[in-house]
Amino acid sequence: MAIAEKTAVGVTVFDLQFAFVQRQRRSHVARTSYLCWSLLTFLLAFSTQSAEMPLNMTQGVTEISQQVYDLHMKIFYICCAIGIAVFGVMFWSIIHHRKSKGVEPAQFHESTKVELLWTAFPVVILIIMAIPATQTLIAMEDTSEADVSILITGSQWKWHYKYMDHKVEYFSLLATPRQQIDNKLSKGENYLLEVDRPLVIPTGKKVRFLVTSDDVIHSWWVPAFAVKKDANPGFINEAWTRVDHPGIYRGQCAELCGKDHGFMPVVVVAKEPADFEQWIAQESATQAAAKEAELKLLAMNMSKDELMALGEKTYMGYCAACHQPNGMGIPGVFPALKGSKMALEDLPAHIDIVLNGKTGTSMQAFDKQLTLSEIAAVVTYERNAWDNNTGDLVQAADIAKAQSK
Amino acid sequence: MSTVTTDPHAHAEHEHHGPAKGLKRWLYTTNHKDIGTLYLLFSLLMFFIGGAMAMVIRAELFQPGLQIVEPNFFNQMTTVHGLIMVFGAVMPAFTGLANWLIPMMIGAPDMALPRMNNWSFWILPFAFSILLASLFMEGGGPSFGWTFYAPLSTTYSNDSTALFVFSVHIMGISSIMGAINVIVTIMNLRAPGMTYMKMPLFVWTWFITAYLLIAVMPVLAGVVTMVLTDKYFGTSFFDAAGGGDPVLFQHIFWFFGHPEVYIMILPAFGIISSIVPTFSRKPLFGYASMVYATSSIALLSFLVWAHHMFTTGMPVAAELFFMYCTMLIAVPTGVKVFNWVATMWRGAMTFEVPMMFSLAFIVLFTIGGFSGLMLAITPADFQYHDTYFVVAHFHYVLVTGAIFSIMAAAYYWLPKWTGHMYDETLGQWHFWCSLISVNVLFFPMHFVGLAGMPRRIPDYALQFADFNALISIGGFAFGLSQLLFVWLVVKCIKGGEKATDQVWEGAEGLEWTIASPAPYHSFTTPPEIK
Ligand SMILES: [Cu+2]
């Protein structure tokens, strides 16, 4: 991250509950028009032990997500109606036309009229269904005239957000502690759906997302916006949303992207435009200041303890997913750093691979992801942890030198 | 028959010679019944291996948190489970049924190309040994999903990819040879008088399926080869940095993949169309429209592949085209379901195990069809895509669809194959246990998916916990229920009430005119078709 301190996101007042309240308020409106659905939810609510999990698609918090929900319900009702009719006839036969009742089987085996009828009838239903679907789809794909544009880049296994009209960009990583995943700590409310730095967007504005990837295909999904777009390496996809209500909205990567695909959530915070303006101004100031502070750091040397402490933290956050906390890697997939030739001997190569990654492998460039001192620290850490004991200390200035080469 | 001879003595000997003894019989056999049996047993074995992997998946997902396996291994399990079930269980089971039944149904003495038939089976064990062995490599086996999207399967995979590609090639060759054999047999070996429009629907659906196979298996071979060359030989088909496009992979893969799902369901339609009339004691309703519906499904299946790719960022016009074509498939599929129901209408039904599986098929496959129709609605698909809703959908069409039809077929023709009636009580137990557990397993997945749980994840948010526990319990129960089937089959082979030639009161068709068990060589002289 290109800043020293991570600004806390000042919206803890809203949490998931808020989104739920929204959902319920809307579903109240819907209920009046969907009598049968209320009956169904009623029945289902009693047939399940899970109180928290919604049993239906979310209506979301945007006009589009509401339209998508309506389409979903419409096609669902059509299916139910057809199902009841067809299975009704079938079960009628099963009950009444059984041999044990002593019936004689009829011998008819075709009827052009009936067959034409049940070919034509579904066509009509499908046309009725296709019209609203087409309208919604065209609206969803119209990304023109956006107020805010954000470049979203997926990589194994984190999201990077860059505001196109401001000097603000940062990575967003899973915030759930490893111990919770390993069942050593009890799991928090937003287990696996929490990040260190959420994406922040203004409410009431058309926000355009430009989605791409640095490595494999990911998919950026926020159910409350009905936005799911694949992040394809080398190509940019577009999507948009306009969120009416402030709140925190959670989603996940939806395309299998390797080992930690299940561990790259998306969290979006929607703020009133004024709050958003304030946030982004403060954020660009902090990021600019951090860049300056970084330059000053070049003149300073960190002690071994400082380097190792920062290095361990950075390693656990950015490297351990692949190289494993104990530095042993996963044989055949991710190399071990413990006892690796590069970590023990070739220092320039070590710095180079961390800065620039290695193309054609999942070892990514950390140049833009980490600060100079973090890179210096993590290299120091790798050269001294797990009995690597080279005694090498690497300082931010060494990294800056390698960078400028 | 492999030889034609005019020597009367040799001829007589030929008619009476039975199978060779021991292992050689199975290794060298060119007999369609032996090869059919081999295919069926092989697919049963694969069903259990793939099933064991599903059990690992469900055990890990029983509770939130990582308990049993690492994410990397979890991904290998989802990948290989899918590959084994599609290519190892469902497809060979249908080929086995084709081998056993097509010659007997059209009054032919054997498949047209018996030596190729032997070969197409015997390369399969090698293909799957290679695939399974790759799991023991350094870094494990393929972990990029059975859909092996690039660049996860190219740049970012380990060397098991090479083995994966090789084994898929062998599976493809086997399928193509099987398909050629089916087509040549049907076109050339029908008994005199057996016109196309008199063929049983199982033969018809397989005939169409075989054309689908020949059309798309080479596409699969092409795409795995492109993966191989991208990974090892410096090409950039799917790498933007070299001028390629990762989405191109998906277009090619699904151009194979969508017809592939019909390859796995058309023969099922044929099976259900054989069983429902028998136990309704009434001819199939709308035979001709069944044939036309199957053909139009097959044709449409080439025009809908991109409905698997709505979120990849296609032009609106393309999205609309694929949405409309996909919705259209509901029409011929509906015709089939309506025809089956009309066949039952005013029949005189009985409910032996094959009929029970067929009835379950009609209801549950239709539910899978409904969720398919929902998935076709592009805007809604943006929400469903890559969630458990999709997992629910394709397990309804493949497990309660394809696999239930295979079960129905096994029960229906088992007396003809073994000469013994199966144990009806045990069969009903198997059916009811399967029916209940399969729905506990797959039905809640619809809700979990709608609530937003992505597929292919080894761990999940807490709200999904209760449903996942329930799903896992259903999974274990379904897995255990299948042991009843093995027990039943073993019992039936060993003995049981002697089956009559016709076996089922309402059964019609050439296979019911010959003895039970079917003699090693049947229809050495063509039967007369009225
Ligand atoms: Cu991802």
Side-chain angles (χ1 to χ4, degrees):
Chain A
M1 214 145 308
I3 38 160
E5 334 90 313
K6 293 168 185 165
T7 344
V9 188
V11 279
T12 35
V13 269
F14 310 109
D15 62 356
L16 200 60
Q17 242 100 33
F18 183 90
F20 273 153
V21 174
Q22 283 300 320
R23 206 182 70 78
Q24 256 140 27
R25 178 138 35 97
R26 281 170 166 270
S27 75
H28 187 74
V29 178
R31 234 166 241 168
T32 45
S33 53
Y34 290 134
L35 259 174
C36 346
W37 178 243
S38 71
L39 192 74
L40 205 70
T41 7
F42 183 75
L43 288 175
L44 288 172
F46 281 94
S47 65
T48 164
Q49 331 107 300
S50 164
E52 318 144 62
M53 193 182 93
L55 289 164
N56 198 4
M57 181 190 282
T58 174
Q59 295 172 57
V61 290
T62 68
E63 209 182 306
I64 289 284
S65 70
Q66 182 64 43
Q67 284 178 25
V68 169
Y69 172 84
D70 292 343
L71 278 174
H72 157 72
M73 290 317 295
K74 209 172 279 169
I75 187 82
F76 174 71
Y77 288 135
I78 291 176
C79 290
C80 284
I82 298 174
I84 289 169
V86 175
F87 301 148
V89 173
M90 182 173 140
F91 281 104
W92 175 275
S93 289
I94 289 176
I95 291 164
H96 295 283
H97 306 148
R98 45 171 69 215
K99 196 188 168 201
S100 56
K101 291 208 156 180
V103 293
E104 274 301 309
Q107 287 305 318
F108 66 86
H109 56 84
E110 60 189 354
S111 158
T112 314
K113 241 188 261 162
V114 177
E115 286 170 67
L116 278 180
L117 190 74
W118 68 39
T119 310
F121 179 65
V123 175
V124 176
I125 294 183
L126 291 178
I127 292 173
I128 294 173
M129 196 57 228
I131 294 168
T134 305
Q135 286 164 342
T136 305
L137 184 63
I138 290 174
M140 287 174 105
E141 297 290 351
D142 176 16
T143 52
S144 61
E145 289 169 38
D147 302 313
V148 180
S149 291
I150 300 167
L151 177 66
I152 301 177
T153 310
S155 64
Q156 286 180 327
W157 291 279
K158 50 191 167 278
W159 295 102
H160 179 259
Y161 300 119
K162 180 174 178 179
Y163 293 81
M164 303 305 278
D165 317 315
H166 300 270
K167 285 204 165 119
V168 174
E169 59 179 299
Y170 53 88
F171 282 89
S172 175
L173 276 83
L174 176 73
T176 303
R178 187 72 219 175
Q179 291 93 322
Q180 288 190 15
I181 297 170
D182 289 335
N183 309 306
K184 295 192 180 109
L185 280 181
S186 69
K187 299 179 176 30
E189 188 190 356
N190 293 316
Y191 178 70
L192 297 189
L193 295 179
E194 51 202 348
V195 295
D196 56 353
R197 312 196 61 202
L199 175 66
V200 181
I201 59 170
T203 55
K205 295 257 166 77
K206 184 164 184 174
V207 181
R208 182 171 63 138
F209 303 115
L210 304 165
V211 190
T212 184
S213 164
D214 273 343
D215 42 40
V216 300
I217 299 174
H218 303 266
S219 191
W220 195 81
W221 180 32
V222 180
F225 307 163
V227 170
K228 183 186 284 148
K229 243 332 164 222
D230 287 4
N232 298 323
F235 294 85
I236 294 180
N237 272 332
E238 287 181 80
W240 68 275
T241 193
R242 189 196 305 272
V243 182
D244 297 330
H245 304 277
I248 300 185
Y249 306 105
R250 296 172 199 276
Q252 280 174 276
C253 175
E255 181 63 60
L256 177 63
C257 56
K259 178 170 98 45
D260 281 355
H261 162 55
F263 303 92
M264 56 182 291
V266 174
V267 180
V268 182
V269 173
K271 293 187 181 209
E272 298 282 0
D275 295 343
F276 174 78
E277 286 309 327
Q278 195 193 339
W279 174 84
I280 198 116
Q282 192 192 344
E283 196 62 19
S284 37
T286 331
Q287 294 202 2
K291 279 212 183 94
E292 265 175 41
E294 179 89 313
L295 290 176
K296 279 195 204 125
L297 256 177
L298 293 182
M300 299 196 320
N301 274 347
M302 288 167 83
S303 74
K304 180 164 181 192
D305 286 347
E306 281 171 329
L307 283 168
M308 287 300 278
L310 179 60
E312 178 167 10
K313 184 165 159 264
T314 312
Y315 183 84
M316 292 306 166
Y318 287 83
C319 322
C322 296
H323 296 292
Q324 301 298 301
N326 60 5
M328 297 299 287
I330 297 181
V333 190
F334 306 117
L337 299 178
K338 177 180 164 146
S340 112
K341 198 157 181 252
M342 196 186 280
L344 289 178
E345 294 166 21
D346 196 346
L347 180 59
H350 190 171
I351 295 176
D352 179 71
I353 198 170
V354 180
L355 270 179
N356 304 316
K358 183 162 171 185
T359 43
T361 76
S362 57
M363 180 61 201
Q364 40 195 275
F366 286 94
D367 195 3
K368 298 253 159 54
Q369 306 191 27
L370 300 173
T371 63
L372 292 177
S373 45
E374 279 170 333
I375 295 179
V378 81
V379 173
T380 307
Y381 179 74
E382 287 174 352
R383 299 182 81 79
N384 292 286
W386 328 295
D387 305 325
N388 274 0
N389 300 336
T390 55
D392 294 344
L393 294 192
V394 182
Q395 297 294 349
D398 302 328
I399 306 296
K401 228 180 285 160
Q403 230 175 11
S404 58
K405 252 188 242 156
Chain B
M1 234 187 316
S2 45
T3 50
V4 180
T5 169
T6 44
D7 178 351
H9 178 69
H11 189 75
E13 199 179 77
H14 199 116
E15 294 237 302
H16 293 291
H17 98 84
K21 291 272 167 298
L23 197 64
K24 271 195 187 160
R25 161 177 177 182
W26 301 105
L27 217 49
Y28 296 152
T29 184
T30 52
N31 179 291
H32 73 103
K33 299 187 180 85
D34 281 355
I35 294 173
T37 306
L38 284 172
Y39 266 112
L40 288 170
L41 292 178
F42 178 78
S43 94
L44 189 61
L45 175 70
M46 286 297 137
F47 181 53
F48 278 96
I49 294 178
M53 293 174 184
M55 298 297 105
V56 173
I57 294 169
R58 284 321 318 173
E60 178 55 54
L61 291 174
F62 187 61
Q63 283 189 333
L66 294 177
Q67 281 93 9
I68 298 169
V69 296
E70 285 299 310
N72 194 39
F73 189 70
F74 182 90
N75 288 346
Q76 293 169 43
M77 287 293 102
T78 54
T79 305
V80 183
H81 162 76
L83 291 167
I84 298 248
M85 287 306 200
V86 168
F87 295 103
V90 174
M91 292 173 69
F94 282 132
T95 315
L97 291 170
N99 262 292
W100 253 104
L101 298 170
I102 289 177
M104 296 201 310
M105 285 177 159
I106 60 173
D110 203 313
M111 296 295 278
L113 309 163
R115 292 214 170 85
M116 192 168 88
N117 206 8
N118 171 294
W119 185 229
S120 70
F121 171 77
W122 275 112
I123 59 178
L124 276 185
F126 292 94
F128 286 91
S129 309
I130 292 170
L131 181 63
L132 289 171
S134 76
L135 286 171
F136 300 97
M137 286 178 70
E138 201 175 56
S143 60
F144 30 64
W146 84 277
T147 51
F148 59 105
Y149 280 12
L152 192 59
S153 60
T154 55
T155 314
Y156 297 88
S157 65
N158 73 336
D159 285 334
S160 65
T161 309
L163 295 190
F164 157 80
V165 169
F166 190 44
S167 75
V168 170
H169 269 305
I170 305 177
M171 296 170 203
I173 292 170
S174 161
S175 292
I176 291 175
M177 290 198 294
I180 291 174
N181 216 340
V182 166
I183 291 175
V184 177
T185 306
I186 294 175
M187 291 181 95
N188 296 296
L189 297 190
R190 278 169 294 124
M194 173 66 80
T195 60
Y196 279 108
M197 289 311 267
K198 276 189 188 163
M199 295 194 308
L201 262 170
F202 180 73
V203 180
W204 253 116
T205 51
W206 240 113
F207 191 47
I208 295 167
T209 303
Y211 276 106
L212 286 183
L213 276 167
I214 288 183
V216 300
M217 287 319 261
V219 179
L220 174 67
V223 78
V224 290
T225 307
M226 289 156 96
V227 162
L228 190 79
T229 60
D230 260 19
K231 185 164 172 65
Y232 291 106
F233 303 109
T235 57
S236 311
F237 293 113
F238 310 131
D239 179 4
D245 183 349
V247 176
L248 173 67
F249 171 89
Q250 297 178 36
H251 281 293
I252 307 176
F253 176 80
W254 286 114
F255 189 79
F256 146 79
H258 199 80
E260 168 68 19
V261 307
Y262 290 98
I263 287 167
M264 293 190 282
I265 205 65
L266 295 185
F269 292 164
I271 291 167
I272 303 305
S273 303
S274 308
I275 294 177
V276 170
T278 296
F279 295 97
S280 304
R281 290 165 183 77
K282 191 165 155 274
L284 181 70
F285 187 88
Y287 172 91
S289 68
M290 284 293 208
V291 173
Y292 302 139
T294 312
S295 316
S296 42
I297 292 174
L299 288 177
L300 278 173
S301 78
F302 288 103
L303 297 176
V304 298
W305 76 89
H307 69 208
H308 298 269
M309 305 166 48
F310 283 141
T311 62
T312 54
M314 278 188 285
V316 188
E319 286 178 329
L320 289 173
F321 173 80
F322 286 108
M323 172 167 79
Y324 299 150
C325 286
T326 307
M327 291 169 81
L328 262 187
I329 288 204
V331 176
T333 316
V335 166
K336 298 205 150 260
V337 176
F338 299 146
N339 281 346
W340 291 322
V341 173
T343 306
M344 290 181 238
W345 185 252
R346 292 185 45 215
M349 281 196 269
T350 52
F351 303 94
E352 290 86 343
V353 184
M355 184 62 164
M356 294 307 283
F357 271 106
S358 302
L359 293 176
F361 171 97
I362 295 173
V363 174
L364 300 177
F365 171 78
T366 305
I367 290 177
F370 286 150
S371 54
L373 187 55
M374 296 171 80
L375 283 158
I377 310 294
T378 313
D381 178 76
F382 291 147
Q383 292 283 44
Y384 308 134
H385 179 71
D386 267 335
T387 69
Y388 263 79
F389 190 81
V390 177
V391 180
H393 160 71
F394 68 73
H395 282 97
Y396 265 84
V397 292
L398 283 176
V399 178
T400 58
I403 291 183
F404 268 32
S405 81
I406 293 165
M407 292 289 176
Y411 281 103
Y412 186 55
W413 281 291
L414 207 50
K416 179 57 65 188
W417 299 335
T418 64
H420 304 128
M421 297 306 286
Y422 61 82
D423 181 337
E424 181 72 28
T425 317
L426 193 56
Q428 292 285 353
W429 269 100
H430 172 227
F431 169 73
W432 284 105
C433 289
S434 299
L435 180 73
I436 294 166
S437 59
V438 87
N439 283 295
V440 175
L441 166 56
F442 296 124
F443 205 76
M445 286 185 182
H446 291 111
F447 299 114
V448 175
L450 290 175
M453 178 165 159
R455 63 192 282 210
R456 293 166 165 168
I457 57 175
D459 193 5
Y460 46 78
L462 297 181
Q463 51 169 334
F464 306 124
D466 293 350
F467 269 74
N468 270 286
L470 182 68
I471 291 169
S472 290
I473 291 169
F476 301 140
F478 184 68
L480 287 177
S481 307
Q482 303 321 306
L483 297 175
L484 290 176
F485 179 68
V486 178
W487 181 21
L488 179 139
V489 171
V490 171
K491 249 181 97 171
C492 186
I493 293 173
K494 282 197 172 151
E497 187 195 329
K498 183 99 191 59
T500 60
D501 290 359
Q502 201 195 2
V503 182
W504 310 108
E505 186 188 30
E508 274 180 42
L510 288 177
E511 78 268 34
W512 308 111
T513 61
I514 57 179
S516 299
Y520 199 56
H521 294 287
S522 43
F523 296 125
T524 43
T525 46
E528 239 174 81
I529 316 283
K530 284 158 277 157

